[in-house]
Amino acid sequence: MSILFCSSEIYPYAKSGGLGDVAQSLPEALRKKAKVYTVLPLYQTIDREKYHIEYTGTTFFYFLDGVEHQFDIFTSKNNKYELFIYNPIICDREGLYHDQFGDFGDNALRFGLFSYACIELIFHMKLPIETIHINDWQTALIALLAKTKYHLSQKVVLTIHNLAYQGIFPKTVVDQLSLDWEQCFKPEALEYFDKVNFLKAGIFYCDTITTVSPTYAHEIQTPLFGKTLDSTLRDNSYKLKGILNGISYDVFDPQTDPMIFKHYDYKTLEDKQINKKKLLKEIGFVETEKPLFVFIGRFTHQKGIDLLIESFNLVKNFEANFIVLGSGEDNYNTIFNNISVCYPNVYIKVGYDETFSRKLYAASDFLLMPSLFEPCGLNQMIAMRYGSMPIVAKTGGLRDSVTDFTDVDYSNLRNYTGIGITYEEHNIFWFMHAIAKALSLYGNYKKYQKIIKHNMKVDHSWKKSAKEYLEIYKS
Ligand code: ADP
């Protein structure tokens, strides 16, 4: 079985969130049973020397709307199944999709070019591909091109990691990408309120759609979570399946993680305390015995940032410390930068920092995830692996991966994949109630420890879910 896995992010080369993690860890898990080629743009921010990335000797050209574009193919010396496409329009800039002024104005062209190049690559590199696996809007156009332009025999699997991002652009893109108006600009393809929508075309033209948790697969077919594509997804529900993401047990492992202060596992939890003490010292907090709550994530409405900000006024008097790491929408960055001095027990770091995030997972007692919706969420799984208890809104993949500790039958712990604190409604009362429950549980430290030890032993790797993807490829 051989797969071409196309993604606009793959950790450690390029990552803005969970897509980067999944595009690294799923192929890694699948490689035990299948030949999986991954393809990523060779963004200028990727350190070619550090990762031993070399030119393969293959270059090809493609004409779009009368303009000739050049694509150079690179590979990693460490793994010949990792391929990279270099094209100056796609790659030569800071940032993946945007800079401080907003989204790049030519993203449709950039990821249109990348989509063409992923298909052309199969021919030019003579790859024996049976299935093409595409991810989110950035590569969704591949399904349309495969079926309408190239008439490929290969099947196409589309994974929706987050329906909130669809790749919506002005319809002039149809000409810019040399697409056929009649065939492509219709409601069962790209057309979307007189614009184009890349993800919508992917949904119609792929052979199978997966999304990243069973609950989210159900939610996106409802008007509340469907982001205006719910009826499109209902029409295509016969080929839609929810498969819960896993995390890489090589990357996220407190026993080997090179970014944390001291390695530990469920048998040496006292060493986790060393991580907590050192981190708090590093940021200038003196009271290291108090429970530590952290938030790690993109600053966007989806992640419940408003609730988080609202909660600071209430938690400022709690016997607990809070650390926030994230970056995102400008208004949130500004708020966080301004309020960081207002609360003595709240530390805020605005920015993207992989090392600091690992230190937070290792140091924290609780991880906050007040998301409005969460397709799968990886943070809660990473947190559980590092012995930090997730406090989550009951939505999407959070619902599928975390059971509230008050609903657990402790004589049968094996039945539970993850245990934490969950709450139902997105408002400050429920959120504060969840934090209060956490403080009370922390008071019963024996019980708290029993739960985090259980979470650290539970399997959140790709073992089970990779099998489900293999079944899909086979079918
Ligand atoms: P999403 O894909 O919606 O951003 P996920 O929960 O699926 O959310 O994945 C988030 C991933 O990105 C996790 O690995 C998390 O640790 C990481 N992450 C998010 N924000 C930051 C940040 N500011 N610095 C470092 N890592 C981050």
Side-chain angles (χ1 to χ4, degrees):
M1 202 186 303
S2 78
I3 317 296
L4 186 71
F5 193 95
C6 310
S7 179
S8 60
E9 298 180 25
I10 301 180
Y11 180 82
Y13 310 112
K15 168 177 162 182
S16 76
L19 172 61
D21 285 328
V22 172
Q24 178 271 330
S25 53
L26 175 58
E28 175 192 76
L30 293 168
R31 281 188 182 122
K32 293 183 181 110
K33 296 270 182 217
K35 262 190 207 157
V36 186
Y37 294 88
T38 54
V39 199
L40 173 75
L42 186 55
Y43 300 108
Q44 92 176 12
T45 44
I46 299 175
D47 188 335
R48 296 183 189 190
E49 232 171 81
K50 178 175 168 193
Y51 294 118
H52 308 288
I53 294 169
E54 292 180 336
Y55 179 51
T56 58
T58 300
T59 287
F60 55 83
F61 299 86
Y62 198 85
F63 269 91
L64 276 187
D65 201 21
V67 181
E68 189 184 42
H69 299 275
Q70 179 174 333
F71 303 92
D72 304 316
I73 309 305
F74 289 72
T75 187
S76 154
K77 222 173 139 186
N78 302 334
N79 184 351
K80 68 176 172 114
Y81 291 102
E82 288 185 338
L83 301 171
F84 301 85
I85 293 173
Y86 173 73
N87 163 276
I89 295 176
I90 306 172
C91 303
D92 283 356
R93 63 191 78 194
E94 293 289 328
L96 304 183
Y97 316 119
H98 53 79
D99 58 17
Q100 72 268 36
F101 305 111
D103 285 350
F104 296 131
D106 58 353
N107 275 343
L109 175 64
R110 292 175 70 222
F111 291 101
L113 283 171
F114 182 56
S115 298
Y116 271 102
C118 286
I119 295 181
E120 288 288 322
L121 176 90
I122 301 175
F123 306 121
H124 291 278
M125 299 286 290
K126 298 190 175 55
L127 301 181
I129 300 299
E130 286 162 306
T131 304
I132 306 174
H133 192 149
I134 58 181
N135 294 280
D136 277 350
W137 72 265
Q138 293 91 336
T139 48
L141 211 60
I142 291 174
L144 176 96
L145 297 174
K147 301 292 153 109
T148 64
K149 208 157 185 162
Y150 287 89
H151 306 286
L152 297 184
S153 59
Q154 284 92 345
K155 299 290 179 194
V156 180
V157 176
L158 163 69
T159 297
I160 300 173
H161 297 261
N162 192 338
L163 191 65
Y165 304 97
Q166 299 178 3
I168 298 166
F169 302 104
K171 61 185 175 187
T172 46
V173 161
V174 174
D175 284 330
Q176 199 182 21
L177 295 178
S178 299
L179 298 170
D180 181 75
W181 279 92
E182 212 174 308
Q183 208 171 23
C184 300
F185 197 69
K186 57 184 181 185
E188 303 78 31
L190 275 174
E191 198 271 329
Y192 176 83
F193 300 110
D194 210 34
K195 293 184 170 184
V196 298
N197 181 324
F198 282 14
L199 189 65
K200 189 176 177 215
I203 291 170
F204 276 109
Y205 280 96
C206 73
D207 297 287
T208 299
I209 311 163
T210 70
T211 187
V212 290
S213 70
T215 295
Y216 194 58
H218 169 74
E219 286 175 344
I220 56 178
Q221 296 178 59
T222 66
L224 190 60
F225 293 95
K227 304 278 170 197
T228 71
L229 289 186
D230 49 295
S231 74
T232 302
L233 285 158
R234 284 196 299 278
D235 290 347
N236 289 280
S237 62
Y238 68 94
K239 58 177 181 180
L240 169 64
K241 188 168 188 211
I243 302 176
L244 195 68
N245 279 339
I247 55 171
S248 165
Y249 266 31
D250 293 332
V251 174
F252 298 109
D253 183 355
Q255 281 181 281
T256 56
D257 191 333
M259 301 181 199
I260 66 176
F261 292 109
K262 178 118 177 97
H263 293 147
Y264 63 94
D265 67 5
Y266 70 93
K267 289 187 214 123
T268 52
L269 278 177
E270 58 288 356
D271 289 339
K272 182 173 164 65
Q273 291 304 318
I274 294 175
N275 283 286
K276 184 175 171 182
K277 284 202 173 88
K278 288 208 166 173
L279 180 86
L280 289 172
K281 202 171 159 211
E282 187 177 282
I283 62 168
F285 276 22
V286 282
E287 294 182 85
T288 58
E289 300 303 316
K290 293 178 179 176
L292 175 62
F293 293 73
V294 301
F295 172 91
I296 303 164
R298 291 180 294 114
F299 291 161
T300 163
H301 188 57
Q302 176 206 336
K303 298 289 177 183
I305 302 299
D306 303 273
L307 215 51
L308 193 65
I309 294 170
E310 202 181 343
S311 73
F312 290 157
N313 245 333
L314 299 164
V315 303
K316 68 177 180 215
N317 299 320
F318 283 18
E319 289 296 316
N321 290 316
F322 294 80
I323 303 180
V324 173
L325 166 66
S327 65
E329 291 161 21
D330 271 350
N331 53 332
Y332 288 129
N333 292 346
T334 311
I335 294 173
F336 278 112
N337 276 323
N338 288 332
I339 61 173
S340 58
V341 287
C342 302
Y343 307 100
N345 61 342
V346 179
Y347 177 88
I348 294 164
K349 178 160 186 178
V350 177
Y352 185 92
D353 187 337
E354 188 75 34
T355 303
F356 195 60
S357 79
R358 301 293 180 83
K359 287 180 176 173
L360 289 183
Y361 287 121
S364 58
D365 301 300
F366 296 98
L367 174 98
L368 298 166
M369 288 187 84
S371 308
L372 266 102
F373 67 94
E374 195 58 76
C376 175
L378 299 176
N379 294 20
Q380 80 280 15
M381 297 188 203
I382 303 169
M384 288 192 269
R385 179 111 165 104
Y386 283 72
S388 176
M389 185 180 286
I391 301 178
V392 303
K394 244 181 169 176
T395 181
L398 300 177
R399 186 182 276 276
D400 295 334
S401 56
V402 183
T403 305
D404 191 89
F405 76 98
T406 57
D407 295 333
V408 168
D409 169 5
Y410 287 88
S411 60
N412 248 328
L413 266 186
R414 268 201 215 135
N415 292 346
Y416 300 92
T417 49
I419 302 172
I421 296 168
T422 67
Y423 65 92
E424 287 282 349
E425 281 180 40
H426 189 77
N427 62 50
I428 193 70
F429 304 106
W430 279 87
F431 186 47
M432 291 312 297
H433 184 233
I435 293 178
K437 268 170 83 177
L439 289 172
S440 146
L441 175 62
Y442 199 74
N444 183 351
Y445 199 68
K446 241 183 165 176
K447 184 169 180 183
Y448 167 82
Q449 237 189 16
K450 184 175 177 169
I451 296 171
I452 60 167
K453 276 186 184 172
H454 165 80
N455 284 346
M456 289 177 84
K457 286 187 264 178
V458 165
D459 190 356
H460 294 289
S461 75
W462 274 100
K463 215 167 164 187
K464 179 168 170 281
S465 298
K467 270 191 203 140
E468 292 190 53
Y469 275 103
L470 287 168
E471 285 307 316
I472 283 178
Y473 300 150
K474 268 186 209 153
S475 73

